[in-house]
Amino acid sequence: MTTNPEQPVDPSNLRRFDRNLLDAGHQLAPRVLEPVPFCWFCEAETGTRSKEHIFPKWLLVHYGAMNEMVHPHRISMALGGLVASERGARPLRAHYNGEVCAACNNGWMASLEASAKPILTQRALHKRITEEEAVVLARWFAKTAVNLNVSQPYRLLVEALSRHDLATHIPDRFAVYLFRVRRQNGVVDWVQKSPDAGIVPSDRVAEFARLGALTLVTHIRIADVGAVIVHVPEALRSLDVLPEGTARIYPLPPRLPTWEGLPRHDDYLGPFTTWNLGGAP
Ligand SMILES: [Zn+2]
């Protein structure tokens, strides 16, 4: 294959998802292009690789979801009947990111899991979410969204800087929102997509089509809790994209919600994501 300025990475070093598209003769839509690293979450180039389970065992055991199957080709009616992201037909426990080093997995990821576990499994519904809980949850959901983005068949949209910073904090390009879901089919669901719609200046339609394609909007449902995790490209601010009918937990809002008071949707795909270019939170 010849060198293409739009595609500066040797195709044999790309993620399998991208290689398959190129092999099938497709042009790649906008995305982050980089060779598959030793570890998606740090700069290590050697060491021991390990498997980071995307949905950890403690979560699946708590909700009795160890054998829950994930079916490929979920069709989203909210997305106009389009296939939003493809998945393999495997049990949830078999979804892992195999390109994570043992130092990340057994270090900061393990302590983040330990901090997130009591929040996700012992929610007191009437309680207001504390700032400390919001930061842990938002970082846990952002880490989970990155694990899905790097390991599942979808465009890579989170750059190394944002991925690596998760080891210590939530990078500026993320925003995280919560809601509650009435209808539950199984324990865990997710989808990766772009913003749905919104009004942009008429002379900037092409620019926003590209920025939209580079913006990752991940919905993750765990039992009755839904999260929308937004990651924006460098040209945008995290609050330029707004999932309607959700409660923001990061960046920290002036007042955090109670679990009971979270906005409700029938379905985990419910919140519609729009451009929020006025910047008002
Ligand atoms: Zn690492």
Side-chain angles (χ1 to χ4, degrees):
M1 200 162 291
T2 52
T3 308
N4 174 347
E6 289 282 293
Q7 206 293 86
V9 179
D10 178 350
S12 63
N13 294 327
L14 286 171
R15 297 161 69 232
R16 190 176 62 184
F17 178 65
D18 296 327
R19 281 189 273 125
N20 290 346
L21 287 171
L22 290 171
D23 288 347
H26 294 288
Q27 291 260 350
L28 295 184
R31 69 192 64 207
V32 174
L33 286 167
E34 61 173 273
V36 171
F38 181 77
C39 173
W40 286 104
F41 289 95
C42 74
E43 288 178 358
E45 288 179 358
T46 55
T48 311
R49 260 192 180 160
S50 65
K51 289 180 182 175
E52 158 75 357
H53 284 84
I54 296 175
F55 297 100
K57 193 174 162 197
W58 59 260
L59 189 72
L60 302 182
V61 167
H62 179 78
Y63 286 107
M66 281 296 276
N67 296 313
E68 183 170 324
M69 293 298 288
V70 171
H71 299 285
H73 304 290
R74 294 269 176 116
I75 309 294
S76 158
M77 296 321 288
L79 300 175
L82 294 171
V83 177
S85 67
E86 296 180 11
R87 321 163 177 192
R90 282 176 290 163
L92 279 170
R93 64 172 190 277
H95 280 76
Y96 58 84
N97 173 3
E99 286 139 2
V100 177
C101 76
C104 281
N105 201 348
N106 303 328
W108 69 269
M109 288 180 159
S111 39
L112 180 57
E113 293 297 330
S115 310
K117 180 177 176 181
I119 306 172
L120 280 168
T121 56
Q122 299 164 27
R123 284 176 279 137
L125 286 180
H126 59 280
K127 256 191 58 194
R128 195 164 290 285
I129 298 171
T130 66
E131 290 197 357
E132 193 185 348
E133 289 171 334
V135 169
V136 169
L137 268 187
R139 190 164 151 238
W140 186 86
F141 274 115
K143 186 263 291 180
T144 304
V146 171
N147 265 326
L148 288 168
N149 189 236
V150 301
S151 68
Q152 301 299 306
Y154 196 69
R155 304 190 307 279
L156 178 63
L157 293 177
V158 184
E159 296 94 333
L161 186 65
S162 277
R163 299 194 310 262
H164 297 182
D165 279 0
L166 279 170
T168 53
H169 63 280
I170 306 165
D172 289 347
R173 306 249 207 106
F174 283 102
V176 181
Y177 305 80
L178 296 182
F179 60 103
R180 290 186 65 200
V181 185
R182 294 191 188 94
R183 270 204 307 269
Q184 297 156 40
N185 175 12
V187 176
V188 173
D189 258 317
W190 75 84
V191 72
Q192 304 186 73
K193 62 189 196 100
S194 300
D196 295 296
I199 296 168
V200 300
S202 58
D203 57 339
R204 299 177 70 190
V205 171
E207 177 191 349
F208 275 92
R210 181 178 167 79
L211 291 173
L214 290 170
T215 298
L216 177 64
V217 178
T218 308
H219 290 218
I220 296 173
R221 180 180 67 79
I222 292 165
D224 64 331
V225 175
V228 180
I229 303 98
V230 172
H231 183 269
V232 295
E234 196 176 6
L236 294 175
R237 294 166 306 167
S238 66
L239 300 183
D240 286 345
V241 175
L242 186 67
E244 293 178 341
T246 58
R248 196 176 84 218
I249 59 165
Y250 199 87
L252 287 171
R255 187 173 161 83
L256 282 155
T258 61
W259 287 105
E260 213 160 40
L262 289 174
R264 284 159 202 257
H265 290 267
D266 284 340
D267 188 86
Y268 83 105
L269 294 167
F272 197 71
T273 306
T274 62
W275 294 112
N276 176 44
L277 300 176

